[in-house]
Amino acid sequence: MNEYDSNRILDLVKPIGYISTNNPSEADCYVLNTCHIREKATDKVYHDIGRLKKEFRNRKKPMLLVTGCVAQAENEEMFNREKYIDGVVGPQSYHQIPDIIKKIENNKNKINSTEFEVIEKFDCLNSVQNSNSKVSSFLTIQEGCDKFCHFCVVPYTRGPEYSRSFNEIINEAKQLIANGAKEITLLGQNVNAYAYKTPTRTFRLADLIIQLNDLKELKRIRYTTSHPKDVTKDLIEAHKTCKKLMPILHLPVQSGSSKILNAMNRKHTIEEYLEIINDLKKARPNIKFSSDFIIGYPGETEDDFNHTLNLVEKIEFINSYSFIYSSRPGTPASKLNTVDQKIAKKRLIKLQEMLEKINTKSKKEFLNASIEVLFENKLKRQNKYFGRDKFLNSVIVGSEKDLTGRTLNIEINDFNHNSLFGKILHNEKKITQLN
Ligand code: SF4
């Protein structure tokens, strides 16, 4: 979502004369768009500012705005801690950046804008063309979260759930397609909680997918991040009927133990999670899943952890994220006793070994097979192109010709931890088509 927001910030400041630069040392204005989800996010911001100060030590200071969730969480405190900062702008106020820049230019005052003005923000953004021209583009449809998982800061930094208007999203999708997008990933902190209400009906995520599925130039649709509680019947049906919807779903589970899920306030059990997975598999037999795991959540026993391992083995999640629980100030879980860090680390290593084994197995299945790849860009200084298969695996292929934006069948002949490697297939008949 920060990538989407950063692109939109750029669209907003173009009319007041700012453009992006590939040479950071010549910038007149820096926007540090921050994420608060990982531990030490705040330290990283101050570290980056330290580097910036060094770079500009003997030159005119550039304007510096800190935006995003760290700005929201730290607020006024940022000015106290770092005088170099000129503006602190929360994720729901970034539509005000052009005004903020002008005010700072004129008055040299420091400005804090951290209200939750999400309706105003999207009203403003709807009037500004989205100029992103990537083959695979992000499109925010929903923001905020009302779930209040006990470990998470998002409800406090991004605010309550808000869904953008159905028509505005479709219009923006058409803009992105006109700019060259072949794949659109619909974004939201709780993307499948999308619910845009009009006097006559409520539009859901499935309605958006169905409409996008009909746009001729668009080849692929994805959405992230979902909450199991909001996987509705119509969304499962969309996985069956909308062929452009890719057969991979990132569905965070966090733990394989219902006891821990309850302690986390995740609002579902493991049995319910498994039922959703089964329903999705019935709708789309080749679907694969990725997930997020928090290891060593307060109260997690060896037995709870073993439930997580069992779940991973059963579902065979690919490309997943796993972390040791780390406390976020102000969240309910921050008041609880943490699991011994040595034990948590051991568990994490065990889980990651299992995830890696599954990843390797899943990549091995691609060897000597044909897969369909959408190419996104050329690698720097090499005649190689980067693309993704339907399951989001990155694929690298050598080519003298420009492959950007093309969907091609690729024969896979090697892989490593991160990527599959192959060659363009001219004679498809000989090998198995995997997806
Ligand atoms: S559903 Fe996701 S964003 Fe919302 S509180 Fe839980 S972890 Fe955070």
Side-chain angles (χ1 to χ4, degrees):
M1 189 169 280
N2 272 24
E3 185 177 328
Y4 175 86
D5 290 346
S6 297
N7 286 331
R8 297 303 271 147
I9 289 171
L10 194 58
D11 287 335
L12 284 163
V13 297
K14 271 182 196 156
I16 60 160
Y18 283 82
I19 53 166
S20 69
T21 172
N22 290 326
N23 183 3
S25 66
E26 69 172 19
D28 301 298
C29 174
Y30 271 78
V31 180
L32 288 182
N33 194 16
T34 61
C35 173
H36 200 250
I37 209 81
R38 300 266 188 273
E39 201 186 3
K40 300 198 175 102
T42 311
D43 293 346
K44 194 172 177 302
V45 175
Y46 290 111
H47 182 77
D48 282 348
I49 296 173
R51 276 213 319 250
L52 198 63
K53 283 164 81 174
K54 234 186 199 170
E55 170 100 35
F56 284 84
R57 190 184 292 142
N58 299 318
R59 294 154 53 200
K60 185 175 172 267
K61 170 193 174 311
M63 187 187 299
L64 172 61
L65 305 182
V66 181
T67 61
C69 291
V70 171
Q72 188 68 43
E74 294 287 301
N75 231 291
E76 281 293 320
E77 179 55 27
M78 296 210 95
F79 295 127
N80 299 335
R81 198 164 151 189
E82 183 48 82
K83 303 273 177 282
Y84 212 72
I85 300 171
D86 297 295
V88 173
V89 187
Q92 306 307 17
S93 308
Y94 71 74
H95 57 293
Q96 297 175 353
I97 285 180
D99 279 347
I100 290 171
I101 289 181
K102 277 196 248 157
K103 276 186 194 150
I104 297 171
E105 277 174 345
N106 293 336
N107 310 324
K108 309 276 178 242
N109 283 340
K110 296 197 181 286
I111 296 182
N112 178 359
S113 181
T114 42
E115 300 299 312
F116 287 132
E117 293 163 348
V118 65
I119 298 175
E120 201 184 304
K121 177 176 88 172
F122 280 111
D123 277 353
C124 171
L125 286 176
N126 289 330
S127 65
V128 179
Q129 284 270 326
N130 189 327
S131 66
N132 184 14
S133 58
K134 282 191 169 177
V135 170
S136 175
S137 287
F138 292 127
L139 172 46
T140 294
I141 65 164
Q142 180 278 346
E143 281 202 29
C145 181
D146 297 340
K147 302 284 189 300
F148 289 91
C149 298
H150 283 173
F151 53 83
C152 182
V153 287
V154 166
Y156 311 100
T157 54
R158 286 270 172 175
E161 283 174 6
Y162 169 81
S163 296
R164 293 180 66 190
S165 124
F166 184 84
N167 286 340
E168 282 158 7
I169 294 167
I170 298 299
N171 284 343
E172 193 170 329
K174 286 178 180 168
Q175 273 173 34
L176 291 171
I177 295 165
N179 295 350
K182 305 278 185 218
E183 171 176 291
I184 288 182
T185 303
L186 302 174
L187 294 181
Q189 269 88 32
N190 242 264
V191 72
N192 55 337
Y194 177 81
Y196 178 69
K197 293 187 175 76
T198 68
T200 50
R201 65 172 288 194
T202 300
F203 290 90
R204 309 275 322 179
L205 174 60
D207 298 308
L208 279 169
I209 293 168
I210 291 166
Q211 188 95 353
L212 291 178
N213 197 58
D214 284 343
L215 299 179
K216 197 166 162 264
E217 297 300 318
L218 187 66
K219 304 293 177 208
R220 291 178 171 187
I221 306 163
R222 305 183 190 274
Y223 62 91
T224 200
T225 298
S226 307
H227 192 289
K229 197 80 194 140
D230 294 317
V231 179
T232 49
K233 289 220 159 31
D234 58 340
L235 184 56
I236 294 173
E237 187 62 21
H239 278 271
K240 188 175 179 177
T241 54
C242 298
K243 295 301 168 216
K244 292 180 184 173
L245 185 56
M246 292 294 100
I248 175 140
L249 181 60
H250 186 70
L251 195 60
V253 65
Q254 312 297 1
S255 169
S257 153
S258 290
K259 183 195 100 189
I260 295 296
L261 291 180
N262 186 39
M264 288 174 166
N265 193 30
R266 287 289 291 173
K267 301 179 170 68
H268 66 85
T269 62
I270 278 302
E271 289 70 31
E272 285 163 340
Y273 185 86
L274 287 170
E275 210 178 310
I276 295 162
I277 297 268
N278 274 340
D279 289 348
L280 283 158
K281 277 185 177 168
K282 270 188 221 151
R284 195 77 172 264
N286 67 337
I287 195 167
K288 295 189 182 199
F289 300 92
S290 60
S291 198
D292 296 335
F293 299 93
I294 296 175
I295 299 306
Y297 188 77
E300 184 192 76
T301 62
E302 209 55 34
D303 191 42
D304 295 320
F305 173 63
N306 284 333
H307 283 308
T308 302
L309 291 181
N310 292 343
L311 182 77
V312 169
E313 206 168 17
K314 191 173 176 134
I315 310 292
E316 298 201 323
F317 294 102
I318 58 164
N319 302 329
S320 294
Y321 299 94
S322 50
F323 300 94
I324 292 178
Y325 166 77
S326 70
S327 159
R328 292 290 176 281
T331 56
S334 66
K335 298 183 186 79
L336 304 173
N337 292 332
T338 50
V339 168
D340 182 308
Q341 288 304 284
K342 270 192 200 148
I343 294 176
K345 204 167 177 191
K346 259 191 189 164
R347 289 180 189 162
L348 181 72
I349 291 170
K350 207 166 173 185
L351 172 73
Q352 289 186 336
E353 279 171 0
M354 184 181 269
L355 288 167
E356 186 54 33
K357 225 163 123 188
I358 295 168
N359 247 348
T360 307
K361 185 181 153 218
S362 122
K363 287 205 169 83
K364 250 189 194 157
E365 284 168 9
F366 291 109
L367 279 181
N368 303 317
S370 153
I371 58 171
E372 197 182 279
V373 177
L374 170 62
F375 286 94
E376 297 183 20
N377 56 274
K378 187 173 183 282
L379 298 185
K380 272 184 197 157
R381 294 183 288 276
Q382 299 179 60
N383 273 342
K384 287 183 180 163
Y385 285 81
F386 164 86
R388 289 192 188 273
D389 73 351
K390 291 181 178 176
F391 303 107
L392 261 184
N393 289 306
S394 68
V395 183
I396 308 224
V397 165
S399 171
E400 296 298 321
K401 282 190 196 151
D402 186 0
L403 304 183
T404 313
R406 294 180 64 190
T407 307
L408 295 167
N409 288 321
I410 301 298
E411 180 186 346
I412 298 303
N413 44 37
D414 200 3
F415 68 91
N416 66 15
H417 170 75
N418 296 317
S419 304
L420 299 165
F421 303 92
K423 58 177 189 205
I424 300 170
L425 192 63
H426 300 292
N427 182 4
E428 277 172 58
K429 283 177 198 153
K430 281 186 195 160
I431 56 179
T432 331
Q433 178 85 27
L434 265 188
N435 54 9

